[in-house]
Amino acid sequence: SAVISQKPSRDICQRGTSLTIQCQVDSQVTMMFWYRQQPGQSLTLIATANQGSEATYESGFVIDKFPISRPNLTFSTLTVSNMSPEDSSIYLCSVKGGSETQYFGPGTRLLVL
Amino acid sequence: QKEVEQNSGPLSVPEGAIASLNCTYSDRGSQSFFWYRQYSGKSPELIMSIYSNGDKEDGRFTAQLNKASQYVSLLIRDSQPSDSATYLCAVRPGAGQNFVFGPGTRLSVLP
């Protein structure tokens, strides 16, 4: 399985600011995903990050709030814009592996005050 | 809307017992099924995948799939306190489609 790293691992941010989360994979992968996991909840897919094209967003998530970049096959960023306390969550990067599996990065724990 | 359901728990079992975790899904055409373990404060870790009806064993873990009844289960034999975690069921409805995750079942193995 791929080795996935995320930066930052955690952050505390003020309301109204933005945070960019980085995801780095040790091998080239075609599909990268960004998930949100709110406290005590399961995983919710935010978007699929496509290399060379716009990200594909799930219902309820918009590009203005969660802009995503995918400049190459090993890297992606997710920005959480104009944050509010409701954005406090764990943000997880995931990649598609063999046999239709998915593997997750360590996550970024975000607290918005 | 494609749904995956799990009993949220907590499911408490004594050390050494068999823990049985269940998951049902709504999309009859679903093809791939996965179990993830998530320790508190950590990210999900893939522990089992199953694609065809029947049982699949890996060490102390057995995944069971019944597509006709649309359920998938995970059995953990000889449960250990280190197995205490939240177990997430994930379903891929079809090739190229995104995972649908269940809400997770919290398992507590009591020493």
mmCIF file of all heavy atoms in Angstrom, chain A residues 31 33 96 99-102, chain B residues 2 25 27-34 51 67 90-100:
data_model
loop_
_atom_site.group_PDB
_atom_site.id
_atom_site.type_symbol
_atom_site.label_atom_id
_atom_site.label_comp_id
_atom_site.label_asym_id
_atom_site.label_seq_id
_atom_site.Cartn_x
_atom_site.Cartn_y
_atom_site.Cartn_z
ATOM 1 N N MET A 31 -6.064 8.323 -8.527
ATOM 2 C CA MET A 31 -7.194 8.926 -7.834
ATOM 3 C C MET A 31 -6.824 9.259 -6.388
ATOM 4 O O MET A 31 -6.312 8.414 -5.651
ATOM 5 C CB MET A 31 -8.402 7.985 -7.861
ATOM 6 C CG MET A 31 -8.873 7.652 -9.270
ATOM 7 S SD MET A 31 -10.390 6.696 -9.302
ATOM 8 C CE MET A 31 -11.582 7.980 -8.944
ATOM 9 N N PHE A 33 -8.569 11.301 -2.907
ATOM 10 C CA PHE A 33 -9.853 11.711 -2.354
ATOM 11 C C PHE A 33 -9.632 12.521 -1.084
ATOM 12 O O PHE A 33 -8.679 12.289 -0.340
ATOM 13 C CB PHE A 33 -10.709 10.479 -2.008
ATOM 14 C CG PHE A 33 -10.853 9.494 -3.128
ATOM 15 C CD1 PHE A 33 -9.944 8.462 -3.279
ATOM 16 C CD2 PHE A 33 -11.908 9.586 -4.026
ATOM 17 C CE1 PHE A 33 -10.075 7.544 -4.308
ATOM 18 C CE2 PHE A 33 -12.044 8.680 -5.055
ATOM 19 C CZ PHE A 33 -11.128 7.655 -5.203
ATOM 20 N N LYS A 96 -6.561 5.623 -4.007
ATOM 21 C CA LYS A 96 -7.047 4.334 -4.483
ATOM 22 C C LYS A 96 -5.876 3.387 -4.621
ATOM 23 O O LYS A 96 -4.838 3.726 -5.177
ATOM 24 C CB LYS A 96 -7.749 4.508 -5.829
ATOM 25 C CG LYS A 96 -8.332 3.233 -6.393
ATOM 26 C CD LYS A 96 -8.967 3.490 -7.749
ATOM 27 C CE LYS A 96 -9.441 2.196 -8.375
ATOM 28 N NZ LYS A 96 -9.982 2.422 -9.743
ATOM 29 N N SER A 99 -7.069 -3.598 -6.319
ATOM 30 C CA SER A 99 -8.306 -4.328 -5.998
ATOM 31 C C SER A 99 -9.382 -3.409 -5.436
ATOM 32 O O SER A 99 -10.144 -3.800 -4.538
ATOM 33 C CB SER A 99 -8.022 -5.454 -5.001
ATOM 34 O OG SER A 99 -7.095 -6.365 -5.520
ATOM 35 N N GLU A 100 -9.419 -2.211 -5.961
ATOM 36 C CA GLU A 100 -10.488 -1.259 -5.614
ATOM 37 C C GLU A 100 -10.443 -0.810 -4.155
ATOM 38 O O GLU A 100 -11.428 -0.316 -3.629
ATOM 39 C CB GLU A 100 -11.870 -1.866 -5.925
ATOM 40 C CG GLU A 100 -12.086 -2.212 -7.385
ATOM 41 C CD GLU A 100 -12.249 -0.971 -8.250
ATOM 42 O OE1 GLU A 100 -13.008 -0.064 -7.867
ATOM 43 O OE2 GLU A 100 -11.593 -0.904 -9.305
ATOM 44 N N THR A 101 -9.335 -1.008 -3.474
ATOM 45 C CA THR A 101 -9.239 -0.575 -2.076
ATOM 46 C C THR A 101 -8.920 0.905 -2.000
ATOM 47 O O THR A 101 -8.594 1.552 -2.993
ATOM 48 C CB THR A 101 -8.137 -1.352 -1.350
ATOM 49 O OG1 THR A 101 -6.910 -1.173 -2.082
ATOM 50 C CG2 THR A 101 -8.449 -2.829 -1.267
ATOM 51 N N GLN A 102 -9.016 1.434 -0.781
ATOM 52 C CA GLN A 102 -8.594 2.811 -0.504
ATOM 53 C C GLN A 102 -7.756 2.813 0.757
ATOM 54 O O GLN A 102 -8.036 2.075 1.707
ATOM 55 C CB GLN A 102 -9.793 3.741 -0.306
ATOM 56 C CG GLN A 102 -10.398 4.249 -1.596
ATOM 57 C CD GLN A 102 -11.386 5.384 -1.364
ATOM 58 O OE1 GLN A 102 -11.361 6.027 -0.305
ATOM 59 N NE2 GLN A 102 -12.237 5.629 -2.326
ATOM 60 N N LYS B 2 -27.602 5.578 -2.026
ATOM 61 C CA LYS B 2 -26.939 4.376 -1.552
ATOM 62 C C LYS B 2 -26.631 4.536 -0.070
ATOM 63 O O LYS B 2 -26.077 5.540 0.355
ATOM 64 C CB LYS B 2 -25.658 4.155 -2.350
ATOM 65 C CG LYS B 2 -25.907 3.966 -3.849
ATOM 66 C CD LYS B 2 -24.618 3.804 -4.601
ATOM 67 C CE LYS B 2 -24.887 3.504 -6.074
ATOM 68 N NZ LYS B 2 -25.497 4.657 -6.769
ATOM 69 N N TYR B 25 -26.378 -3.076 3.388
ATOM 70 C CA TYR B 25 -26.250 -2.052 2.360
ATOM 71 C C TYR B 25 -27.471 -2.067 1.457
ATOM 72 O O TYR B 25 -28.149 -3.078 1.325
ATOM 73 C CB TYR B 25 -24.965 -2.255 1.553
ATOM 74 C CG TYR B 25 -24.841 -3.604 0.882
ATOM 75 C CD1 TYR B 25 -25.242 -3.796 -0.436
ATOM 76 C CD2 TYR B 25 -24.318 -4.691 1.580
ATOM 77 C CE1 TYR B 25 -25.126 -5.030 -1.052
ATOM 78 C CE2 TYR B 25 -24.207 -5.934 0.973
ATOM 79 C CZ TYR B 25 -24.607 -6.093 -0.335
ATOM 80 O OH TYR B 25 -24.502 -7.326 -0.942
ATOM 81 N N ASP B 27 -27.672 -0.910 -1.950
ATOM 82 C CA ASP B 27 -27.516 -1.083 -3.390
ATOM 83 C C ASP B 27 -27.229 -2.550 -3.717
ATOM 84 O O ASP B 27 -26.133 -3.049 -3.472
ATOM 85 C CB ASP B 27 -26.386 -0.188 -3.894
ATOM 86 C CG ASP B 27 -26.272 -0.185 -5.416
ATOM 87 O OD1 ASP B 27 -26.844 -1.087 -6.075
ATOM 88 O OD2 ASP B 27 -25.601 0.704 -5.955
ATOM 89 N N ARG B 28 -28.214 -3.219 -4.298
ATOM 90 C CA ARG B 28 -28.083 -4.653 -4.556
ATOM 91 C C ARG B 28 -26.960 -4.963 -5.535
ATOM 92 O O ARG B 28 -26.422 -6.057 -5.538
ATOM 93 C CB ARG B 28 -29.416 -5.186 -5.093
ATOM 94 C CG ARG B 28 -29.455 -6.669 -5.372
ATOM 95 C CD ARG B 28 -30.866 -7.134 -5.708
ATOM 96 N NE ARG B 28 -31.719 -7.103 -4.532
ATOM 97 C CZ ARG B 28 -31.773 -8.075 -3.615
ATOM 98 N NH1 ARG B 28 -31.023 -9.147 -3.754
ATOM 99 N NH2 ARG B 28 -32.576 -7.989 -2.584
ATOM 100 N N GLY B 29 -26.594 -4.009 -6.358
ATOM 101 C CA GLY B 29 -25.544 -4.239 -7.338
ATOM 102 C C GLY B 29 -24.135 -4.018 -6.826
ATOM 103 O O GLY B 29 -23.175 -4.112 -7.588
ATOM 104 N N SER B 30 -23.994 -3.748 -5.543
ATOM 105 C CA SER B 30 -22.671 -3.464 -4.980
ATOM 106 C C SER B 30 -21.737 -4.646 -5.174
ATOM 107 O O SER B 30 -22.147 -5.805 -5.107
ATOM 108 C CB SER B 30 -22.780 -3.131 -3.490
ATOM 109 O OG SER B 30 -23.517 -1.945 -3.301
ATOM 110 N N GLN B 31 -20.465 -4.317 -5.396
ATOM 111 C CA GLN B 31 -19.521 -5.352 -5.816
ATOM 112 C C GLN B 31 -18.377 -5.590 -4.848
ATOM 113 O O GLN B 31 -17.830 -6.688 -4.794
ATOM 114 C CB GLN B 31 -18.929 -4.963 -7.179
ATOM 115 C CG GLN B 31 -19.959 -4.828 -8.279
ATOM 116 C CD GLN B 31 -19.336 -4.445 -9.605
ATOM 117 O OE1 GLN B 31 -18.113 -4.312 -9.726
ATOM 118 N NE2 GLN B 31 -20.162 -4.259 -10.611
ATOM 119 N N SER B 32 -17.983 -4.556 -4.111
ATOM 120 C CA SER B 32 -16.783 -4.664 -3.280
ATOM 121 C C SER B 32 -17.103 -4.180 -1.880
ATOM 122 O O SER B 32 -17.789 -3.171 -1.717
ATOM 123 C CB SER B 32 -15.643 -3.821 -3.856
ATOM 124 O OG SER B 32 -15.448 -4.103 -5.225
ATOM 125 N N PHE B 33 -16.523 -4.892 -0.896
ATOM 126 C CA PHE B 33 -16.881 -4.629 0.495
ATOM 127 C C PHE B 33 -15.615 -4.642 1.342
ATOM 128 O O PHE B 33 -14.736 -5.484 1.140
ATOM 129 C CB PHE B 33 -17.866 -5.697 0.979
ATOM 130 C CG PHE B 33 -19.051 -5.842 0.057
ATOM 131 C CD1 PHE B 33 -18.983 -6.672 -1.047
ATOM 132 C CD2 PHE B 33 -20.213 -5.115 0.279
ATOM 133 C CE1 PHE B 33 -20.052 -6.782 -1.929
ATOM 134 C CE2 PHE B 33 -21.291 -5.224 -0.591
ATOM 135 C CZ PHE B 33 -21.203 -6.057 -1.690
ATOM 136 N N PHE B 34 -15.562 -3.704 2.284
ATOM 137 C CA PHE B 34 -14.326 -3.510 3.036
ATOM 138 C C PHE B 34 -14.649 -3.257 4.498
ATOM 139 O O PHE B 34 -15.666 -2.645 4.829
ATOM 140 C CB PHE B 34 -13.550 -2.309 2.474
ATOM 141 C CG PHE B 34 -13.321 -2.395 0.978
ATOM 142 C CD1 PHE B 34 -14.263 -1.896 0.100
ATOM 143 C CD2 PHE B 34 -12.178 -2.975 0.473
ATOM 144 C CE1 PHE B 34 -14.078 -1.984 -1.273
ATOM 145 C CE2 PHE B 34 -11.983 -3.063 -0.896
ATOM 146 C CZ PHE B 34 -12.930 -2.570 -1.761
ATOM 147 N N TYR B 51 -15.154 -9.828 -1.883
ATOM 148 C CA TYR B 51 -15.788 -9.498 -3.156
ATOM 149 C C TYR B 51 -16.822 -10.530 -3.593
ATOM 150 O O TYR B 51 -17.662 -10.247 -4.449
ATOM 151 C CB TYR B 51 -14.726 -9.383 -4.254
ATOM 152 C CG TYR B 51 -13.630 -8.404 -3.916
ATOM 153 C CD1 TYR B 51 -12.430 -8.841 -3.372
ATOM 154 C CD2 TYR B 51 -13.796 -7.043 -4.110
ATOM 155 C CE1 TYR B 51 -11.418 -7.948 -3.051
ATOM 156 C CE2 TYR B 51 -12.792 -6.140 -3.795
ATOM 157 C CZ TYR B 51 -11.601 -6.610 -3.265
ATOM 158 O OH TYR B 51 -10.616 -5.716 -2.947
ATOM 159 N N LYS B 67 -24.678 -11.598 -0.589
ATOM 160 C CA LYS B 67 -25.212 -10.574 -1.482
ATOM 161 C C LYS B 67 -26.725 -10.665 -1.620
ATOM 162 O O LYS B 67 -27.399 -9.650 -1.797
ATOM 163 C CB LYS B 67 -24.553 -10.683 -2.862
ATOM 164 C CG LYS B 67 -23.097 -10.246 -2.872
ATOM 165 C CD LYS B 67 -22.540 -10.244 -4.286
ATOM 166 C CE LYS B 67 -21.103 -9.764 -4.307
ATOM 167 N NZ LYS B 67 -20.541 -9.744 -5.678
ATOM 168 N N ALA B 90 -17.381 -0.394 4.572
ATOM 169 C CA ALA B 90 -17.393 0.430 3.362
ATOM 170 C C ALA B 90 -17.810 -0.436 2.183
ATOM 171 O O ALA B 90 -17.401 -1.590 2.072
ATOM 172 C CB ALA B 90 -16.026 1.053 3.119
ATOM 173 N N VAL B 91 -18.613 0.143 1.328
ATOM 174 C CA VAL B 91 -19.135 -0.565 0.163
ATOM 175 C C VAL B 91 -18.802 0.239 -1.085
ATOM 176 O O VAL B 91 -19.009 1.467 -1.116
ATOM 177 C CB VAL B 91 -20.660 -0.761 0.281
ATOM 178 C CG1 VAL B 91 -21.220 -1.416 -0.976
ATOM 179 C CG2 VAL B 91 -20.991 -1.589 1.512
ATOM 180 N N ARG B 92 -18.291 -0.421 -2.094
ATOM 181 C CA ARG B 92 -18.133 0.229 -3.395
ATOM 182 C C ARG B 92 -19.250 -0.276 -4.304
ATOM 183 O O ARG B 92 -19.269 -1.466 -4.655
ATOM 184 C CB ARG B 92 -16.774 -0.071 -4.016
ATOM 185 C CG ARG B 92 -16.549 0.706 -5.309
ATOM 186 C CD ARG B 92 -15.207 0.388 -5.953
ATOM 187 N NE ARG B 92 -14.068 0.803 -5.170
ATOM 188 C CZ ARG B 92 -13.614 2.047 -5.111
ATOM 189 N NH1 ARG B 92 -14.225 3.005 -5.781
ATOM 190 N NH2 ARG B 92 -12.553 2.329 -4.379
ATOM 191 N N PRO B 93 -20.195 0.589 -4.655
ATOM 192 C CA PRO B 93 -21.368 0.120 -5.408
ATOM 193 C C PRO B 93 -21.024 -0.502 -6.753
ATOM 194 O O PRO B 93 -21.689 -1.448 -7.188
ATOM 195 C CB PRO B 93 -22.207 1.395 -5.575
ATOM 196 C CG PRO B 93 -21.768 2.282 -4.468
ATOM 197 C CD PRO B 93 -20.307 2.000 -4.286
ATOM 198 N N GLY B 94 -20.014 0.020 -7.408
ATOM 199 C CA GLY B 94 -19.647 -0.512 -8.705
ATOM 200 C C GLY B 94 -18.250 -0.059 -9.068
ATOM 201 O O GLY B 94 -17.691 0.824 -8.418
ATOM 202 N N ALA B 95 -17.682 -0.655 -10.088
ATOM 203 C CA ALA B 95 -16.336 -0.293 -10.518
ATOM 204 C C ALA B 95 -16.272 1.198 -10.834
ATOM 205 O O ALA B 95 -17.137 1.728 -11.539
ATOM 206 C CB ALA B 95 -15.942 -1.114 -11.739
ATOM 207 N N GLY B 96 -15.282 1.851 -10.286
ATOM 208 C CA GLY B 96 -15.111 3.272 -10.536
ATOM 209 C C GLY B 96 -15.986 4.179 -9.705
ATOM 210 O O GLY B 96 -15.851 5.398 -9.783
ATOM 211 N N GLN B 97 -16.876 3.594 -8.917
ATOM 212 C CA GLN B 97 -17.730 4.428 -8.072
ATOM 213 C C GLN B 97 -17.081 4.630 -6.704
ATOM 214 O O GLN B 97 -16.248 3.846 -6.274
ATOM 215 C CB GLN B 97 -19.107 3.788 -7.920
ATOM 216 C CG GLN B 97 -19.864 3.702 -9.229
ATOM 217 C CD GLN B 97 -21.326 3.358 -9.011
ATOM 218 O OE1 GLN B 97 -21.967 3.866 -8.098
ATOM 219 N NE2 GLN B 97 -21.854 2.494 -9.844
ATOM 220 N N ASN B 98 -17.499 5.690 -6.031
ATOM 221 C CA ASN B 98 -16.886 6.030 -4.753
ATOM 222 C C ASN B 98 -17.401 5.137 -3.629
ATOM 223 O O ASN B 98 -18.520 4.635 -3.664
ATOM 224 C CB ASN B 98 -17.163 7.487 -4.417
ATOM 225 C CG ASN B 98 -16.450 8.431 -5.364
ATOM 226 O OD1 ASN B 98 -15.321 8.180 -5.780
ATOM 227 N ND2 ASN B 98 -17.100 9.528 -5.711
ATOM 228 N N PHE B 99 -16.565 4.986 -2.628
ATOM 229 C CA PHE B 99 -16.958 4.242 -1.430
ATOM 230 C C PHE B 99 -18.154 4.916 -0.758
ATOM 231 O O PHE B 99 -18.279 6.131 -0.753
ATOM 232 C CB PHE B 99 -15.813 4.248 -0.422
ATOM 233 C CG PHE B 99 -14.792 3.172 -0.627
ATOM 234 C CD1 PHE B 99 -14.549 2.636 -1.870
ATOM 235 C CD2 PHE B 99 -14.046 2.712 0.447
ATOM 236 C CE1 PHE B 99 -13.602 1.640 -2.061
ATOM 237 C CE2 PHE B 99 -13.094 1.721 0.270
ATOM 238 C CZ PHE B 99 -12.868 1.194 -0.977
ATOM 239 N N VAL B 100 -18.976 4.074 -0.132
ATOM 240 C CA VAL B 100 -19.987 4.560 0.793
ATOM 241 C C VAL B 100 -19.653 3.937 2.147
ATOM 242 O O VAL B 100 -19.560 2.709 2.260
ATOM 243 C CB VAL B 100 -21.411 4.162 0.356
ATOM 244 C CG1 VAL B 100 -22.434 4.679 1.358
ATOM 245 C CG2 VAL B 100 -21.707 4.695 -1.044
#
